[in-house]
Amino acid sequence: MPHFAVDYSESLGDAFDPRAFALALHPLTARVLDTAVTNCKTRFRRCAEVVVADGLAGQSLVHVEVAVLPGRTEEAKAALSEAVLALVREHTAGAEGVVHASVNVGELSASYRRHIGAAEA
């Protein structure tokens, strides 16, 4: 917890560095949610084909899905959403065209479990 899934347009090219984004995202999240950076996990999905609105050229997409443990207030989730959106804008500032950025903060289900350790042979 928290888990991030980031979908982004391949057309962003070098204007979006996923690793740099994650390395900024994790401490930001730790501050906003008062959690440890070591709890944050992010995966990226580069999208070769993205169609936004009427399909005009020059439009890119970055969408961040966030899953946190149940119990966070709506205010805390909204604060995280706003902070992540600002970070997306910062990390896509050099992109050409229009970048459509969005963030959704939801909760992990009650069945969520985790294990941290070496894989068993």
Side-chain angles (χ1 to χ4, degrees):
M1 185 306 285
H3 291 261
F4 300 90
V6 182
D7 295 313
Y8 68 98
S9 298
E10 183 177 84
S11 62
L12 287 169
D14 292 338
F16 182 69
D17 179 345
R19 182 172 177 78
F21 179 75
L23 292 175
L25 176 64
H26 295 174
L28 171 80
T29 301
R31 284 191 306 277
V32 172
L33 294 184
D34 192 25
T35 190
V37 170
T38 55
N39 291 330
C40 298
K41 300 156 191 73
T42 302
R43 67 183 184 278
F44 294 90
R45 297 180 289 226
R46 186 175 60 204
C47 303
E49 185 67 34
V50 173
V51 178
V52 178
D54 55 3
L56 288 176
Q59 299 189 66
S60 300
L61 162 70
V62 177
H63 176 70
V64 182
E65 281 289 332
V66 185
V68 298
L69 289 172
R72 302 285 182 179
T73 65
E74 290 301 316
E75 292 79 13
K77 291 187 277 188
L80 180 61
S81 184
E82 288 294 332
V84 172
L85 190 59
L87 189 66
V88 169
R89 289 194 306 264
E90 179 183 325
H91 280 259
T92 58
E96 292 183 21
V98 177
V99 178
H100 296 261
S102 56
V103 178
N104 181 55
V105 178
E107 294 185 346
L108 294 163
S109 73
S111 65
Y112 172 75
R113 302 293 185 271
R114 73 178 188 168
H115 168 78
I116 301 173
E120 296 181 25

